[in-house]
Every structure is written in C-alpha cells, then in structure tokens.
Amino acid sequence: AQSVTQPDIHITVSEGASLELRCNYSYGATPYLFWYVQSPGQGLQLLLKYFSGDTLVQGIKGFEAEFKRSQSSFNLRKPSVHWSDAAEYFCAVPDSNYQLIWGAGTKLIIKP
Amino acid sequence: GAGVSQSPSNKVTEKGKDVELRCDPISGHTALYWYRQRLGQGLEFLIYFQGNSAPDKSGLPSDRFSAERTGESVSTLTIQRTQQEDSAVYLCASSLARADEQFFGPGTRLTVL
C-alpha cells in the first residue's frame, strides 16, 4: 500500500534561515506529489505540486520542492523563512484510486 | 462562489445527539471529499464523491457516519449518536477531477461534550 512519511513532527528555524522539510513516499509508479500548508486559523492551501516534467517545482510564497525518484522523496525547501511561514506543512500522494494519502504533517516554528 | 464553504463553523453538541455538517463545493468541481482532523494530527480521509458515481465510503469510521451529495452540488455529513471521540475539525475539499488539486473549506469544529 502507498504511504507518505514526514519524519519530522516539529522543526524550529530562525527567521531568515533556510528550511528543508522532508517527505518520503512509497509508490510503484511515478506519483503525483503535493505540498499543502495549514496556517493557524486558516484552511489548507496548496503550496506546489508535481505531475511530470522538471523535477524542481516552484510554488507560492517562495517555496520549491524537488522530486528525487531514486530516493522516493519530495522535500520542500525555502532559502529564507519569514515569521509568517510558521504553520503546519503536509505532503500528499494519490493512491492507485487517486485518493490522496497524507503525511502526518510537520509543524514549523520560527524563532525570532 | 469564490471557494469551498462549510457550515457551521463551530458546533457544540451533547453526547448522543445527531449532527449535520454542510459543504458547498466550488461550482463545476465534480470531486468532493470529507476529511477529519483531530487536534494535532493529520488528515483522515472519510468519504469521496465523484460526479454521479457511487461514493467511496472506505474511510468512514463507523456506521454512525454517513454523507450525501446531490449531483455536483452541496454535500452533508451526518454523525449519529455522537461520541466524545468524534470531536475534531471536519474538512471538506473539492477538485475538478480526482488526483487534481484539492481546494479546502475552512472546516467545521465539532465539540462533543
């Protein structure tokens, strides 16, 4: 069965520092891959998605993610975080029935 | 409408009562999903509607949970005889087609006393 793993429950970074959130999946074929963000008091919003083509995907709010087939990973990155990036981040992959399987989420804490 | 809307935004109920949660998807979106998110946890899939096809109910945790959708419009999630463990935020999402980007509503926070 397909699965999505976000190994870090919490990550704390200083404002202005770089960020990488990890996502690993198990899937037979090349998957579609999504990153969503859930900000406090707000709904889930799509950050970026990979369907095919260039393995480096640009998203909103300065985020990017790289699909690495050999590592079954789709890590989310940002070169310099802002306090407003404090939120929970979810990675998701559709299963064989095209239902999204969600990671458990990584909570990002920004130190001033 | 601009996005997915859900009502009510908050619902407090007593154990054993029935509740009904409503979701208005984005117009033209054929796919509609219900999820449950317990405090501090990820999303738990409940049910999926695709057009006029039979819904995928594989995520419903018990027969106390049911959902309906008329065509490609409003959906209602009903929880009968609520229990305290049903307390969570219930999220609705819609998409143009399955495996496409899902657009989420703000959720309904259900508290069962």
Side-chain angles (χ1 to χ4, degrees):
Chain A
Q2 294 90 351
S3 66
V4 177
T5 303
Q6 293 181 248
D8 304 304
I9 299 174
H10 296 97
I11 280 191
T12 301
V13 298
S14 298
E15 190 169 14
S18 64
L19 170 71
E20 183 168 33
L21 302 182
R22 296 183 289 166
C23 173
N24 292 94
Y25 63 90
S26 68
Y27 193 77
T30 300
Y32 299 160
L33 297 153
F34 299 83
W35 274 101
Y36 283 81
V37 59
Q38 189 174 36
S39 301
Q42 298 186 29
L44 278 151
Q45 180 181 21
L46 181 72
L47 273 178
L48 47 79
K49 60 187 177 184
Y50 171 79
F51 277 6
S52 65
D54 193 346
T55 56
L56 184 63
V57 180
Q58 301 298 320
I60 62 170
K61 305 184 181 186
F63 284 89
E64 66 178 27
E66 186 170 14
F67 168 53
K68 292 186 177 180
R69 185 195 307 273
S70 61
Q71 298 177 17
S72 297
S73 70
F74 189 56
N75 294 349
L76 183 70
R77 302 194 295 246
K78 186 169 184 178
S80 175
V81 297
H82 185 262
W83 64 267
S84 61
D85 293 325
E88 189 144 23
Y89 293 80
F90 294 92
C91 180
V93 179
D95 66 12
S96 55
N97 291 320
Y98 298 98
Q99 303 292 8
L100 282 184
I101 301 173
W102 295 81
T106 298
K107 187 171 183 178
L108 175 62
I109 300 164
I110 307 294
K111 288 192 301 186
Chain B
V4 178
S5 61
Q6 292 185 246
S7 61
S9 55
N10 281 283
K11 177 71 176 179
V12 180
T13 190
E14 294 179 348
K15 178 181 171 181
K17 300 280 189 184
D18 297 351
V19 295
E20 193 171 279
L21 313 180
R22 177 187 168 105
C23 172
D24 260 292
I26 293 172
S27 177
H29 281 193
T30 61
L32 186 147
Y33 308 78
W34 283 99
Y35 295 93
R36 179 170 68 181
Q37 187 176 29
R38 291 196 166 111
L39 186 63
Q41 298 188 21
L43 275 71
E44 178 185 359
F45 166 74
L46 296 177
I47 189 169
Y48 160 69
F49 295 91
Q50 175 63 56
N52 293 317
S53 302
D56 176 355
K57 303 179 182 180
S58 59
L60 295 179
S62 78
D63 58 8
R64 295 187 295 106
F65 288 72
S66 63
E68 291 184 350
R69 186 185 188 196
T70 306
E72 296 181 0
S73 62
V74 170
S75 175
T76 55
L77 175 69
T78 302
I79 309 173
Q80 295 178 311
R81 306 181 302 282
T82 52
Q83 304 294 313
Q84 287 183 331
E85 61 261 29
D86 298 335
S87 296
V89 175
Y90 289 82
L91 293 165
C92 175
S94 70
S95 64
L96 276 171
R98 60 182 189 174
D100 206 346
E101 174 185 357
Q102 293 184 20
F103 293 81
F104 283 81
T108 294
R109 182 176 298 278
L110 175 65
T111 304
V112 182
L113 302 176

